[in-house]
Amino acid sequence: MSHNTFGHLFRVTTWGESHGPGIGCVVDGCPPGLPITPDAIQVFLDKRRPGQSRFVTQRQEPDAVEILSGVFTDAEGRQVSTGAPISLMIRNVDQRSKDYGDIAQKFRPGHADYTYQAKYGIRDYRGGGRSSARETATRVAAGGIARQVLGSGVIVRGALIQMGKIRIDRSRWDWDEVDNNPFFCPDPVVAKEWEGYLDGIRKAGSSIGAIVEVVAEGVPAGWGAPLYGKLDQDIASAMMSINAVKGVEIGAGMAVAELTGEENADEMRPNSIPHGRHHGPGFMSNNAGGILGGISTGQAIVCRFAIKPTSSILTPRRTVTVSGEATEIFTKGRHDPCVGIRAVPVGEAMLACVLADHMLRHRGQCGGG
Amino acid sequence: MSHNTFGHLFRVTTWGESHGPGIGCVVDGCPPGLPITPDAIQVFLDKRRPGQSRFVTQRQEPDAVEILSGVFTDAEGRQVSTGAPISLMIRNVDQRSKDYGDIAQKFRPGHADYTYQAKYGIRDYRGGGRSSARETATRVAAGGIARQVLGSGVIVRGALIQMGKIRIDRSRWDWDEVDNNPFFCPDPVVAKEWEGYLDGIRKAGSSIGAIVEVVAEGVPAGWGAPLYGKLDQDIASAMMSINAVKGVEIGAGMAVAELTGEENADEMRPNSIPHGRHHGPGFMSNNAGGILGGISTGQAIVCRFAIKPTSSILTPRRTVTVSGEATEIFTKGRHDPCVGIRAVPVGEAMLACVLADHMLRHRGQCGGG
Amino acid sequence: MSHNTFGHLFRVTTWGESHGPGIGCVVDGCPPGLPITPDAIQVFLDKRRPGQSRFVTQRQEPDAVEILSGVFTDAEGRQVSTGAPISLMIRNVDQRSKDYGDIAQKFRPGHADYTYQAKYGIRDYRGGGRSSARETATRVAAGGIARQVLGSGVIVRGALIQMGKIRIDRSRWDWDEVDNNPFFCPDPVVAKEWEGYLDGIRKAGSSIGAIVEVVAEGVPAGWGAPLYGKLDQDIASAMMSINAVKGVEIGAGMAVAELTGEENADEMRPNSIPHGRHHGPGFMSNNAGGILGGISTGQAIVCRFAIKPTSSILTPRRTVTVSGEATEIFTKGRHDPCVGIRAVPVGEAMLACVLADHMLRHRGQCGGG
Amino acid sequence: MSHNTFGHLFRVTTWGESHGPGIGCVVDGCPPGLPITPDAIQVFLDKRRPGQSRFVTQRQEPDAVEILSGVFTDAEGRQVSTGAPISLMIRNVDQRSKDYGDIAQKFRPGHADYTYQAKYGIRDYRGGGRSSARETATRVAAGGIARQVLGSGVIVRGALIQMGKIRIDRSRWDWDEVDNNPFFCPDPVVAKEWEGYLDGIRKAGSSIGAIVEVVAEGVPAGWGAPLYGKLDQDIASAMMSINAVKGVEIGAGMAVAELTGEENADEMRPNSIPHGRHHGPGFMSNNAGGILGGISTGQAIVCRFAIKPTSSILTPRRTVTVSGEATEIFTKGRHDPCVGIRAVPVGEAMLACVLADHMLRHRGQCGGG
């Protein structure tokens, strides 16, 4: 079961609400002997942290991670994993005190207010409670550990490739640009364009959707597990579990509908680069997104997902009260005009976690490593 | 773990290869007392069965399901579930004997040949072995049982909405048309158009991708389980586990990237129709696809997925042999020019299974029913 | 998977080491609307807490539980579960600073030192690290929540029934006596006898084994899930997961080996007390321990488990160093002369957790409640 | 979830009833390339097969196993696992047709009749349905595959060590004797004694309990996974899942209650035999039964379990009808006077399955192999 847990051998259980004492996760199944320090995790949390530019929520959260268990100082003085569960906690600091009367009594359209109430008969309405995007910080922290499991041979990174109707030009893709702008945009020209575009949206109190692409290079052929533990299936599940995601694509994605068999199938040529057990083939294209039959091909794993615009906007929207009466609501205060931006490190983290899990699962069944 | 199992409380484990003695599944966790007969399951298998029109593979398989366990005749003489695992078997009948030398020695581009070999060091190459689309018959059988769990109040159905570049006109959507053409197409005009289009592809020995939409009506508000057992997450996982699927969308899907917060959030009005525990709101749109925060809203659940063109085509494609040498391959014989067609009943079945699982999971945690 | 997690629908993940910042657990799947307060959990922690008599370890730990998530104040002002994961933390307070050189370098016989080192290549040797009995506090905390799930109709309680060779006289069993002595002994005569007996062991720096019996009354007929989710199987698993447990019995237990079919089978008579769906039978004996075919009968669930003597003793024992050389070791300082005593609330908690899980699982599959 | 599934990476799902078309299991997660043939599995089924002596049920079942999936002929012509799920089926042959009126209408004391009815509201009463000991044949078949996973370095075997009050003399233990008598008894003297003893019970239409001991040698140090995936915990769970088992012991078992710390802790001496990653210590005793802290020590794993007498006896017992009226019942026909005998190969199989699962789990987390 997996209400608040994901993964099988690399297994993450998260907890916490937006306005409680903190949020956290327990990472179970981590191989022993890996270097695990708060600093190494913090690097990734800092990418997701709010308040870093005018384009994200102004909530001030240091998002400082504490490691509560599962690490120990080895003979060489390094802080390493012991194989025991690693408990991580991030305290909530900036829970602005305010009157929750409005969101306590009304369901915000596009938010999970109504569904939590319908399911549980009660909901923690403070800042969205459990359904707050704040929970994604724990995913990022877990992803920091997953990267240690994967080792330096696997590179997981992501970028924002579309905001509203403005898409990047893939011919200008430059990974080095991703950290040079507040959008994780790999196209410097479009990054500039987004600045003005998003300022307009922000000032109007509106919000806009986006598409994130995450890529993993260096994954050997053979990870994944047909038929219901497919690598692409678990990636789709992981991405769809991120708040506000409404679509997931692997490789050519939805566009495969328009391809013929001749166009779609990635041809192969001999290749001297070893993949997994074999010197694998060189593929001449990657419509598959690095996955065939649910198993990695040795190519780059490519996944895209779409993030809806945050539903917290200044324009009043029609809704109902908890007791079912017609009313209106609008959201003042801090919010992300394009929540897709901060979803980039979250998507990377989820991909890293899925890959770490499948690395261990593959090793369990097939040995090696 | 879930190599060949999906679901938690309604749990399906499948087995079998294309050219072995048969394929099958074990459905565990079915509530007791539900009418379960081969005939009721066969109805759905017959929709997916090959050889029914010139637009699908000509392999002749009756796909007759046998129930091996888990049912018993109750006091009223009805054959009902007992709560024990239901084992279903479908024998393989039309495994055409032939020389497998070519596909034994070469990796077919777009197929899982190479990845199975890379992962396991061995593969059953006869008809694709375990990675054959034939496995999806067991999903359809399981889906037949899932529908009994859901009861008549939940209607799960699907349609083909795009083939190649030709999309249906949603304003002509007519569920009654779906069974009037060999494509499960809800738009009679486009169905006609597809006929000629697919004949051309078929005669050229080519293939084409497609998009399927599956819809569930009558799902009460409250099913789903944040944060890693989200209903949309489990649907995405289920659809992506179907052979050849490369993208999954819920509600507005990838297009949410282009929406503003004002456009996206589904507004609510009072409604007298009871949803779950509450008289829920009436939504004025359904960009959410019936799911908010991973929990059903009471609206129709709407999911789309893209199926790549089958990689079995007559045009020779470049590839490598098992020993790594450059070669070419093409696929003679029976194949689906648009494998997306037969994916419609498969998608329906997977949606039914996910919903049945979540119905039981919701009841487990929150009671009721 | 379940490295550090147990349960399926009522699911507990624990973390923490003896000498880290703290220990804790995440309880996932708790039904919403149940009253959950630190005080209600503390009652059970206080039963297990060290330092309360001369017969248990003198480590001073308040074992104060903090609730970090998953509860909210409802409309009536009660603190209740929301259905989200409940994160509990207990800080470690009395980690006596000392030189760990000896246990860092030597494997203590009877402890998990060698096996952790063999498995992981590293171990947190401070106070036993992850394998410390301290971890059981988190089980007791989780058990406090499980009792809320079960409600007042199910009474779970336990007692120490044997210490060394001295057994209680079952004819004197009095539940009210259990809290009147430092041993959770239901037999006041034997409780007196144990006092002198254990003083002798304690003063000699030795230790002794024990047997605990835990009983659940009020469980309706029908909980449990054949064939690999049997109620007795999950109870056996839960008890064997407690540190130092080496044997588990249900009902007549190991003694069934000596019974004939006539003696063993519990005969039935009509009974007007309703069990589950039915007015169930009245059983004339309970060799089954309340479970037949893995499913509860409606009788009392009866389980016993044996706890080995703690291996921390003053007498030097032969062992080897981490590098494999012959040496000796003995354990100074604080320890439990009969760790079985504090296992009573732990066994109760584990039984409560298993029952809560099966209550939800039964409701999931079969409805009701 | 695990209603009818056990194991995590080596995962077995069983199905089938005593009087349906057959029984079977799906073994998922088997590493690829292992030789899997019906003959190799049949060896173990034949040990459990009924009708082989006058001391077991006279039902005539060939228990011939069919492999339906997951194996393929490799380049050397051997039939090996492919990594896909292995589906095994055993047809029911000797379902004696008879009038089930009596057991349809009455609950047999000691059987699961009442509890299945209470849980599910319906039960397949023919031959005990799903709760029949016949199901254990599928465990034995799965165990045959598990042995292939473990390889020849791990020897799993079992023996009957007590029948009624007559115990073997452990000083006479001779594994070679186990196959020389119809009881799997390692003590030839006691085997002789049991013959007359059990003849008496059999002729009286009675039955008797027993104790089985199963042992695994060659398990390296390091298998197991604290804290809720302990090796002993999973063994206890597996044994308690076998029909009629009421107690499980590891190593010294329930008797640890009477041991002091000095007596119980197994001392260690240097040893040149390599265990797992290390040259492990030599233990001077094995009260631990080869497991400390839930992890294997490298010593023999020793487990015992008690089997209750079959409740199918000729002496009438008091019971109630389905509608709650007082009545009597007795069981004519074929039954095992000591069902513990045939539990020996079942216990071996379950131990092999648990070990195979933990071998893969250890390899997943810690690598190696």
Side-chain angles (χ1 to χ4, degrees):
Chain A
M1 285 299 300
S2 57
H3 291 160
N4 290 279
T5 297
F6 66 95
H8 293 267
L9 294 194
F10 184 84
R11 192 167 178 81
V12 180
T13 300
T14 82
W15 56 267
E17 284 86 25
S18 175
H19 284 54
I23 56 177
C25 66
V26 182
V27 179
D28 198 6
C30 185
L34 301 175
I36 307 287
T37 62
D39 286 355
I41 297 170
Q42 197 65 44
V43 171
F44 301 103
L45 282 169
D46 285 348
K47 289 181 67 176
R48 195 213 71 100
R49 194 151 58 84
Q52 302 192 105
S53 82
R54 67 182 185 274
F55 301 110
V56 297
T57 174
Q58 296 305 301
R59 179 169 172 171
Q60 293 298 328
E61 286 287 356
D63 279 356
V65 67
E66 296 169 58
I67 301 180
L68 300 176
S69 68
V71 298
F72 194 63
T73 307
D74 72 4
E76 287 85 49
R78 299 179 315 154
Q79 200 178 4
V80 298
S81 57
T82 61
I86 301 171
S87 179
L88 303 175
M89 182 164 63
I90 299 166
R91 291 171 204 276
N92 292 331
V93 171
D94 185 19
Q95 309 114 293
R96 194 164 293 185
S97 80
K98 69 169 186 180
D99 176 15
Y100 289 109
D102 216 35
I103 64 169
Q105 293 307 319
K106 300 175 181 178
F107 298 128
R108 292 169 300 165
H111 278 289
D113 298 347
Y114 168 63
T115 54
Y116 270 65
Q117 187 80 35
K119 181 174 189 73
Y120 299 118
I122 182 173
R123 74 184 204 280
D124 181 345
Y125 42 74
R126 301 167 304 162
R130 180 72 182 143
S131 69
S132 166
R134 180 147 181 72
E135 185 268 350
T136 59
T138 66
R139 304 173 184 238
V140 172
I145 296 176
R147 287 175 193 263
Q148 291 295 333
V149 175
L150 294 169
S152 57
V154 175
I155 297 169
V156 179
R157 49 191 178 177
L160 200 71
I161 63 166
Q162 181 174 346
M163 184 190 293
K165 288 187 165 59
I166 311 174
R167 303 174 189 210
I168 63 158
D169 178 338
R170 298 187 79 94
S171 71
R172 285 195 298 256
W173 190 300
D174 180 355
W175 280 112
D176 290 337
E177 283 297 329
V178 165
D179 294 326
N180 286 342
N181 60 71
F183 309 112
F184 303 111
C185 179
D187 173 345
V189 179
V190 159
K192 215 68 207 159
E193 196 177 346
W194 285 351
E195 225 167 278
Y197 174 69
L198 196 54
D199 263 334
I201 284 168
R202 183 174 61 83
K203 287 171 185 165
S206 182
S207 63
I208 191 70
I211 294 182
V212 173
E213 181 165 318
V214 285
V215 177
E217 289 151 294
V219 174
W223 292 5
L227 277 168
Y228 301 100
K230 287 184 170 177
L231 188 53
D232 36 0
Q233 168 182 14
D234 284 356
I235 292 171
S237 175
M239 298 309 159
M240 198 63 97
S241 80
I242 300 171
N243 305 42
V245 173
K246 300 304 284 185
V248 182
E249 299 185 318
I250 304 293
M254 297 303 289
V256 292
E258 307 195 355
L259 299 180
T260 64
E262 289 77 6
E263 293 162 336
N264 176 68
D266 304 308
E267 292 182 292
M268 289 173 262
R269 293 286 79 184
N271 187 349
S272 63
I273 303 167
H275 292 302
R277 301 178 174 195
H278 300 271
H279 280 252
F283 290 89
M284 303 176 71
S285 54
N286 191 12
N287 288 310
I291 303 172
L292 284 172
I295 301 173
S296 59
T297 63
Q299 294 178 278
I301 310 274
V302 181
C303 170
R304 277 178 308 283
F305 56 93
I307 311 268
K308 70 181 186 185
T310 179
S311 305
S312 300
I313 49 178
L314 276 179
T315 312
R317 308 304 294 161
R318 284 172 291 183
T319 189
V320 297
T321 64
V322 173
S323 51
E325 283 145 34
T327 185
E328 289 198 337
I329 192 166
F330 67 97
T331 312
K332 281 168 299 193
R334 309 168 298 182
H335 76 273
D336 285 282
C338 177
V339 75
I341 299 170
R342 295 204 292 137
V344 174
V346 179
E348 291 176 352
M350 293 308 285
L351 183 54
C353 287
V354 171
L355 290 172
D357 190 36
H358 273 284
M359 172 186 147
L360 303 186
R361 287 164 72 175
H362 176 68
R363 184 160 83 178
Q365 185 176 13
C366 296
Chain B
M1 284 301 300
S2 57
H3 290 160
N4 291 278
T5 297
F6 66 96
H8 292 268
L9 294 195
F10 184 84
R11 193 167 179 80
V12 180
T13 301
T14 83
W15 55 267
E17 284 87 25
S18 174
H19 283 55
I23 55 176
C25 65
V26 181
V27 179
D28 198 6
C30 185
L34 301 176
I36 307 287
T37 62
D39 286 356
I41 297 170
Q42 198 64 44
V43 171
F44 301 103
L45 282 168
D46 286 348
K47 288 181 68 176
R48 195 212 71 100
R49 194 152 57 83
Q52 301 192 107
S53 83
R54 68 183 185 276
F55 301 111
V56 297
T57 174
Q58 296 305 302
R59 180 170 173 169
Q60 293 297 328
E61 288 286 356
D63 278 355
V65 67
E66 297 170 58
I67 300 179
L68 300 176
S69 68
V71 298
F72 193 62
T73 309
D74 73 3
E76 286 86 52
R78 301 179 313 154
Q79 200 177 4
V80 298
S81 57
T82 62
I86 302 171
S87 178
L88 303 175
M89 182 163 65
I90 299 167
R91 291 172 204 274
N92 292 332
V93 171
D94 186 18
Q95 309 114 292
R96 193 164 294 185
S97 80
K98 70 169 185 180
D99 177 15
Y100 289 108
D102 219 33
I103 63 168
Q105 293 307 318
K106 300 174 181 178
F107 299 128
R108 294 169 298 165
H111 278 290
D113 298 346
Y114 168 63
T115 53
Y116 271 66
Q117 187 79 34
K119 181 175 189 72
Y120 299 118
I122 184 173
R123 74 182 204 280
D124 182 345
Y125 43 73
R126 302 166 304 161
R130 180 72 181 142
S131 69
S132 167
R134 180 147 182 70
E135 184 267 352
T136 59
T138 65
R139 303 172 184 239
V140 172
I145 295 176
R147 287 174 193 265
Q148 291 295 331
V149 175
L150 293 170
S152 57
V154 176
I155 297 169
V156 179
R157 50 192 177 176
L160 200 70
I161 63 165
Q162 180 174 345
M163 184 190 293
K165 289 188 166 56
I166 312 174
R167 304 174 188 209
I168 64 158
D169 178 338
R170 299 186 78 93
S171 71
R172 285 195 296 256
W173 191 300
D174 180 354
W175 281 112
D176 289 338
E177 284 297 329
V178 164
D179 293 327
N180 286 343
N181 60 70
F183 309 111
F184 302 112
C185 180
D187 173 347
V189 180
V190 159
K192 213 70 207 161
E193 197 178 343
W194 285 350
E195 226 167 275
Y197 175 69
L198 195 55
D199 263 334
I201 284 167
R202 183 175 61 83
K203 287 171 185 164
S206 183
S207 63
I208 191 69
I211 295 182
V212 172
E213 182 165 316
V214 286
V215 177
E217 289 152 296
V219 173
W223 292 5
L227 277 168
Y228 301 100
K230 286 183 171 179
L231 188 55
D232 36 0
Q233 168 182 14
D234 284 355
I235 292 171
S237 175
M239 298 310 160
M240 197 64 97
S241 80
I242 301 172
N243 305 42
V245 173
K246 300 304 284 186
V248 182
E249 299 185 319
I250 303 292
M254 298 302 291
V256 292
E258 307 194 355
L259 299 181
T260 63
E262 289 78 7
E263 292 163 338
N264 176 69
D266 305 308
E267 293 182 292
M268 291 173 260
R269 294 286 78 184
N271 187 350
S272 64
I273 303 166
H275 292 303
R277 301 177 173 194
H278 300 270
H279 280 252
F283 290 89
M284 303 177 70
S285 54
N286 191 11
N287 288 311
I291 303 172
L292 284 173
I295 302 172
S296 59
T297 63
Q299 293 177 278
I301 309 275
V302 180
C303 170
R304 280 177 306 283
F305 56 93
I307 310 269
K308 70 181 185 185
T310 179
S311 305
S312 300
I313 49 178
L314 276 179
T315 312
R317 307 306 292 161
R318 285 171 291 183
T319 189
V320 295
T321 65
V322 173
S323 50
E325 283 145 33
T327 185
E328 288 198 337
I329 193 165
F330 68 97
T331 311
K332 282 168 296 195
R334 311 169 296 185
H335 76 271
D336 285 283
C338 178
V339 75
I341 299 170
R342 296 204 291 138
V344 173
V346 179
E348 290 175 352
M350 292 308 285
L351 183 55
C353 287
V354 170
L355 290 171
D357 190 36
H358 274 282
M359 172 187 148
L360 303 186
R361 287 163 72 175
H362 177 68
R363 183 160 83 179
Q365 185 177 13
C366 297
Chain C
M1 284 299 301
S2 57
H3 291 160
N4 291 278
T5 297
F6 66 94
H8 294 266
L9 294 194
F10 184 84
R11 192 165 178 82
V12 180
T13 300
T14 82
W15 56 268
E17 285 86 26
S18 174
H19 284 53
I23 56 176
C25 65
V26 181
V27 179
D28 198 5
C30 185
L34 301 176
I36 307 287
T37 62
D39 287 355
I41 297 170
Q42 198 64 45
V43 170
F44 301 103
L45 282 168
D46 286 348
K47 288 181 69 176
R48 195 214 71 101
R49 191 153 59 83
Q52 302 192 108
S53 82
R54 69 182 184 273
F55 300 112
V56 297
T57 174
Q58 295 305 299
R59 180 169 172 171
Q60 292 298 328
E61 287 287 357
D63 279 355
V65 68
E66 295 169 59
I67 301 180
L68 300 176
S69 69
V71 298
F72 194 62
T73 307
D74 72 3
E76 286 87 49
R78 298 179 314 153
Q79 200 178 4
V80 299
S81 56
T82 61
I86 302 171
S87 178
L88 303 175
M89 182 165 63
I90 298 167
R91 291 172 204 274
N92 292 330
V93 171
D94 185 19
Q95 310 114 294
R96 194 164 292 186
S97 81
K98 69 169 186 180
D99 176 15
Y100 289 109
D102 217 35
I103 64 169
Q105 294 307 319
K106 300 175 180 177
F107 298 128
R108 292 170 299 164
H111 278 290
D113 299 345
Y114 168 63
T115 53
Y116 270 64
Q117 187 80 33
K119 183 174 188 73
Y120 299 118
I122 184 175
R123 73 184 205 281
D124 182 345
Y125 42 74
R126 301 167 304 162
R130 180 72 181 142
S131 68
S132 165
R134 180 146 184 70
E135 184 267 352
T136 58
T138 66
R139 305 172 183 238
V140 172
I145 296 176
R147 287 175 193 263
Q148 291 294 332
V149 176
L150 293 170
S152 58
V154 176
I155 298 169
V156 179
R157 50 190 176 177
L160 199 71
I161 63 166
Q162 181 174 344
M163 183 191 294
K165 290 189 165 56
I166 311 175
R167 303 174 189 210
I168 64 157
D169 178 337
R170 300 185 79 93
S171 71
R172 285 194 297 256
W173 190 300
D174 180 354
W175 281 112
D176 291 337
E177 284 296 328
V178 164
D179 294 327
N180 286 341
N181 59 71
F183 308 111
F184 303 112
C185 179
D187 173 347
V189 179
V190 159
K192 214 71 206 159
E193 196 177 345
W194 284 351
E195 225 168 277
Y197 175 69
L198 195 56
D199 263 335
I201 284 166
R202 183 175 61 83
K203 287 172 184 164
S206 182
S207 64
I208 191 70
I211 295 181
V212 171
E213 182 165 317
V214 285
V215 177
E217 289 152 294
V219 173
W223 292 5
L227 278 167
Y228 302 100
K230 287 183 170 177
L231 189 54
D232 35 0
Q233 167 182 15
D234 284 356
I235 293 171
S237 175
M239 298 309 159
M240 199 63 97
S241 81
I242 302 172
N243 305 43
V245 172
K246 300 303 284 185
V248 181
E249 299 186 318
I250 303 292
M254 298 302 290
V256 291
E258 307 194 356
L259 299 181
T260 63
E262 290 77 7
E263 292 163 336
N264 176 69
D266 304 309
E267 293 182 292
M268 288 172 263
R269 295 284 79 185
N271 187 349
S272 62
I273 303 168
H275 292 303
R277 301 177 174 197
H278 299 271
H279 280 250
F283 290 91
M284 304 175 71
S285 53
N286 192 11
N287 287 312
I291 303 172
L292 284 171
I295 301 171
S296 60
T297 62
Q299 294 179 278
I301 310 274
V302 181
C303 169
R304 279 178 305 284
F305 55 93
I307 311 268
K308 70 181 187 186
T310 179
S311 304
S312 300
I313 49 178
L314 276 178
T315 311
R317 309 304 295 162
R318 284 171 291 183
T319 190
V320 295
T321 65
V322 172
S323 50
E325 284 145 34
T327 186
E328 288 199 336
I329 194 166
F330 69 97
T331 312
K332 282 169 297 195
R334 310 168 298 182
H335 75 272
D336 285 282
C338 178
V339 75
I341 298 170
R342 296 203 292 138
V344 173
V346 179
E348 290 175 355
M350 293 307 286
L351 183 55
C353 287
V354 170
L355 290 171
D357 190 36
H358 274 282
M359 172 185 147
L360 302 186
R361 289 163 71 173
H362 177 68
R363 185 160 84 178
Q365 184 175 16
C366 297
Chain D
M1 285 299 302
S2 57
H3 292 160
N4 291 278
T5 297
F6 66 95
H8 293 267
L9 294 194
F10 184 85
R11 192 165 178 82
V12 180
T13 300
T14 83
W15 56 267
E17 284 86 26
S18 174
H19 284 54
I23 56 178
C25 65
V26 182
V27 179
D28 198 5
C30 186
L34 301 175
I36 307 287
T37 62
D39 287 355
I41 297 170
Q42 198 63 45
V43 171
F44 300 103
L45 282 168
D46 286 348
K47 288 181 67 175
R48 196 214 70 100
R49 192 152 58 84
Q52 301 191 105
S53 82
R54 69 183 184 274
F55 300 111
V56 297
T57 172
Q58 296 305 300
R59 180 168 172 171
Q60 293 298 327
E61 287 287 356
D63 278 355
V65 68
E66 295 170 58
I67 301 178
L68 300 176
S69 69
V71 298
F72 194 61
T73 307
D74 72 4
E76 287 85 50
R78 299 178 314 154
Q79 200 178 5
V80 299
S81 56
T82 61
I86 302 170
S87 178
L88 304 175
M89 182 164 65
I90 299 166
R91 290 171 204 277
N92 292 332
V93 172
D94 185 18
Q95 309 114 294
R96 194 162 292 185
S97 82
K98 68 169 187 180
D99 176 15
Y100 289 108
D102 218 33
I103 63 169
Q105 294 307 320
K106 301 174 181 178
F107 299 128
R108 292 169 300 164
H111 278 290
D113 298 347
Y114 167 63
T115 54
Y116 270 65
Q117 188 78 36
K119 181 175 189 72
Y120 299 117
I122 184 175
R123 74 184 204 280
D124 181 346
Y125 43 73
R126 302 167 303 162
R130 180 72 182 142
S131 69
S132 166
R134 179 146 184 73
E135 184 267 352
T136 59
T138 66
R139 303 172 184 238
V140 171
I145 295 175
R147 287 174 192 264
Q148 291 294 331
V149 175
L150 293 170
S152 58
V154 175
I155 297 169
V156 178
R157 50 191 177 176
L160 200 70
I161 63 166
Q162 181 174 345
M163 183 189 292
K165 289 187 167 58
I166 311 175
R167 304 174 188 208
I168 63 157
D169 178 337
R170 298 185 80 92
S171 71
R172 285 193 298 254
W173 190 300
D174 179 355
W175 281 111
D176 290 338
E177 283 296 329
V178 163
D179 292 328
N180 286 343
N181 60 70
F183 308 111
F184 302 111
C185 180
D187 173 346
V189 179
V190 159
K192 213 71 209 161
E193 197 178 345
W194 284 352
E195 225 168 277
Y197 175 70
L198 195 56
D199 263 335
I201 284 167
R202 182 175 61 83
K203 286 172 185 164
S206 182
S207 64
I208 190 70
I211 294 181
V212 172
E213 182 165 316
V214 285
V215 177
E217 289 152 296
V219 174
W223 291 5
L227 277 168
Y228 301 100
K230 286 183 170 178
L231 188 54
D232 37 359
Q233 167 182 14
D234 283 357
I235 293 171
S237 176
M239 299 309 159
M240 198 65 97
S241 81
I242 301 171
N243 306 41
V245 173
K246 300 302 284 186
V248 181
E249 298 185 318
I250 303 292
M254 298 302 290
V256 292
E258 307 195 354
L259 298 181
T260 63
E262 289 78 6
E263 292 163 337
N264 176 67
D266 303 309
E267 293 181 292
M268 289 173 261
R269 295 286 77 187
N271 188 348
S272 63
I273 303 167
H275 292 303
R277 302 176 173 195
H278 300 270
H279 280 251
F283 290 89
M284 303 176 71
S285 54
N286 192 11
N287 287 311
I291 303 171
L292 284 172
I295 301 173
S296 60
T297 63
Q299 294 179 278
I301 309 275
V302 181
C303 170
R304 280 178 305 283
F305 55 93
I307 311 268
K308 71 181 186 186
T310 180
S311 305
S312 299
I313 48 178
L314 276 179
T315 312
R317 309 304 295 160
R318 284 171 291 183
T319 188
V320 296
T321 65
V322 173
S323 51
E325 284 145 34
T327 184
E328 287 198 339
I329 193 167
F330 68 96
T331 312
K332 282 169 296 195
R334 309 169 297 181
H335 76 273
D336 285 283
C338 176
V339 76
I341 298 170
R342 296 204 292 138
V344 173
V346 178
E348 290 175 353
M350 294 306 285
L351 183 55
C353 288
V354 171
L355 290 172
D357 189 37
H358 274 282
M359 172 186 147
L360 303 185
R361 288 164 71 175
H362 176 68
R363 186 160 82 178
Q365 184 176 15
C366 296

